[in-house]
Amino acid sequence: MNIVSIFIQTLVGGIGIGSLYALVALGYSMIYRSMGLVNFAHGSIYMIGTYFGIIWYRGMVMGLQVPYPIAFVMGILLTAILGLILERIFRPLAHLDLMLMLLGTIGLGYVLDNLAVIIWGAEGFAVNSPLPNEPIVIGGVALLPQMLLLITVSALLMVGLNVFLAKSKMGKAMRAAAQDRETASAMGIPVNTTNALVFAIGAGLAAAAGILAAPIVYVNPAMSAAVGLKGFAAFILGGAGSIPGAIVGGLVFGVLEAISAGFISSAYTKGIAFVVMIVVLMIKPAGIVGEVTVDKV
């Protein structure tokens, strides 16, 4: 394999893992824009959402095993319902100062992590891919079918989200409510309802990321911390509160990680990606695509 093939394969792998980070970062960004809330429990929601889908695929609920696509949809819907419940819990936090807000979300994240350990155990498990494990070789570049599925479905979800926000009546209401809550409320837009929907969508996207990545990573309750942190880093790198920024930040962070692992050392992967992120923020504090102020959904 020549250097060009290695670079392309590394790049595709980076886009794949970056797609995961981008879907998680979208949840951070949407909730921040709509409620002004920095939700540090979002990594735990990602982990719970992964379990919500995979338990059906692996037949862990009364031995009832369902095909992967159905488990994927069930996991997203169950996690979206969890998001609606969590929004009611988090709603009072949005009116508190930043420190109390952070403590509240971090605390609830720990609660979710411990619930996962109690329900599913701390050991975790590997998940068989619903697609063939043999890589697809194109021009000397070997690509895992599951990674291609992750990239493709993630891209469709991101496009669908942007179309929903831009074209649908509810999407426009969500943007209006996030832009100016008081004016939107005076015009009859149910702000609390739009916030709840934002929370549900963010949770559903995190679940989609986890279920798509489950056959590639190892599913366990501890997975919440690493992806939650990297999703948050992507949210900051792209620009806090920016929907396009969350996507760009996630992809850039994933590609940085993959290039670091492929051409330097996997031991420095996390460090190098975070160093680059800090340098970018020192040069452009608002992030790659971000806005200087919160301009909500």
Side-chain angles (χ1 to χ4, degrees):
M1 183 179 291
N2 57 44
I3 187 67
V4 175
S5 297
I6 293 174
F7 178 77
I8 294 174
Q9 186 156 338
T10 301
L11 186 63
V12 173
I15 292 173
I17 198 69
S19 299
L20 187 159
Y21 298 154
L23 288 177
V24 175
L26 277 171
Y28 278 109
S29 191
M30 292 180 68
I31 293 168
Y32 180 66
R33 293 194 66 155
S34 64
M35 300 176 66
L37 178 71
V38 180
N39 179 19
F40 276 105
H42 199 59
S44 301
I45 295 172
Y46 155 82
M47 177 270 295
I48 294 283
T50 305
Y51 273 99
F52 274 173
I54 294 305
I55 56 174
W56 299 102
Y57 178 57
R58 294 185 84 238
M60 295 168 64
V61 183
M62 298 181 291
L64 180 63
Q65 188 170 13
V66 304
Y68 184 81
I70 298 175
F72 178 72
V73 174
M74 291 173 69
I76 291 174
L77 292 178
L78 288 172
T79 313
I81 293 171
L82 174 67
L84 292 175
I85 297 170
L86 292 178
E87 189 275 336
R88 289 292 297 168
I89 298 173
F90 281 136
R91 191 178 295 174
L93 294 179
H95 304 292
L96 302 179
D97 64 41
L98 180 62
M99 185 59 69
L100 293 175
M101 181 193 302
L102 295 182
L103 288 174
T105 58
I106 291 172
L108 189 56
Y110 275 116
V111 171
L112 293 175
D113 289 351
N114 282 280
L115 280 175
V117 171
I118 292 170
I119 297 171
W120 297 300
E123 294 298 323
F125 48 78
V127 177
N128 293 328
S129 173
L131 300 176
N133 287 319
E134 290 297 318
I136 300 171
V137 181
I138 303 174
V141 178
L143 305 171
L144 280 176
Q146 186 67 33
M147 184 63 81
L148 295 176
L149 179 68
L150 170 61
I151 294 172
T152 303
V153 177
S154 298
L156 291 173
L157 289 173
M158 292 174 202
V159 171
L161 174 66
N162 279 284
V163 171
F164 171 76
L165 291 174
K167 303 294 183 182
S168 73
K169 185 177 179 180
M170 180 55 74
K172 291 176 181 176
M174 290 165 61
R175 293 171 58 200
Q179 186 75 31
D180 189 331
R181 184 175 310 192
E182 293 182 357
T183 302
S185 183
M187 295 177 67
I189 294 175
V191 175
N192 286 335
T193 301
T194 58
N195 285 344
L197 186 57
V198 163
F199 227 104
I201 292 174
L205 289 174
I211 299 166
L212 287 168
I216 301 172
V217 301
Y218 189 74
V219 176
N220 65 91
M223 67 193 291
S224 62
V227 173
L229 179 61
K230 292 173 183 177
F232 180 75
F235 155 72
I236 296 295
L237 179 62
S242 168
I243 301 297
I247 297 172
V248 173
L251 294 176
V252 168
F253 205 85
V255 170
L256 283 174
E257 265 200 3
I259 291 176
S260 302
F263 293 94
I264 303 176
S265 169
S266 58
Y268 306 127
T269 298
K270 296 177 184 175
I272 290 173
F274 276 103
V275 166
V276 172
M277 183 194 77
I278 292 169
V279 170
V280 170
L281 292 180
M282 289 174 66
I283 299 170
K284 196 172 186 303
I288 299 173
V289 187
E291 304 141 24
V292 175
T293 58
V294 178
D295 189 36
K296 311 195 167 191
V297 185

